[in-house]
Amino acid sequence: MEKVDYSKMITPLDYKCGKCDATGCKLWREYQTFSPRLLCVDCACRDQKKINNVDSEGLRVDDDGMQTDQVGWYVPAVPTKDGGGYCGYLDVPDAAVKWWEQLPLRTGIIATA
Ligand SMILES: [Zn+2]
């Protein structure tokens, strides 16, 4: 993956949904997977059979009434600065958290490559 500049609302080229190819928006990744599949909000909710109630910051209320940024087994996909992987779920730098939160939930942009 390319390097990521957290000050810009630009996503890496291969930061796209593994199902519908949506790109330029928030994505979630499979938890604890070395080379995880990325899913957009709609595909993640469908895949995990969760109510699609995610807000613009990427938060949703889970079945137990708790607010969470996870969708089932999927957690926010925040690329590391060098593009070499993803920040650990509990170890995401502030700038990276902000970057992810500010990405649009949906863009309607489908990658053509
Ligand atoms: Zn998708």
Side-chain angles (χ1 to χ4, degrees), residues 82-103:
D82 64 2
Y86 296 93
C87 301
Y89 178 55
L90 299 173
D91 191 26
V92 183
D94 283 350
V97 171
K98 287 212 177 70
W99 176 84
W100 190 83
E101 280 180 357
Q102 287 173 24
L103 290 176

Side-chain angles (χ1 to χ4, degrees), residues 53-74:
N53 57 358
V54 182
D55 70 14
S56 60
E57 285 181 12
L59 295 170
R60 54 181 292 279
V61 177
D62 209 352
D63 308 338
D64 57 8
M66 299 284 281
Q67 201 176 46
T68 178
D69 54 9
Q70 296 184 38
V71 180
W73 288 104
Y74 280 74

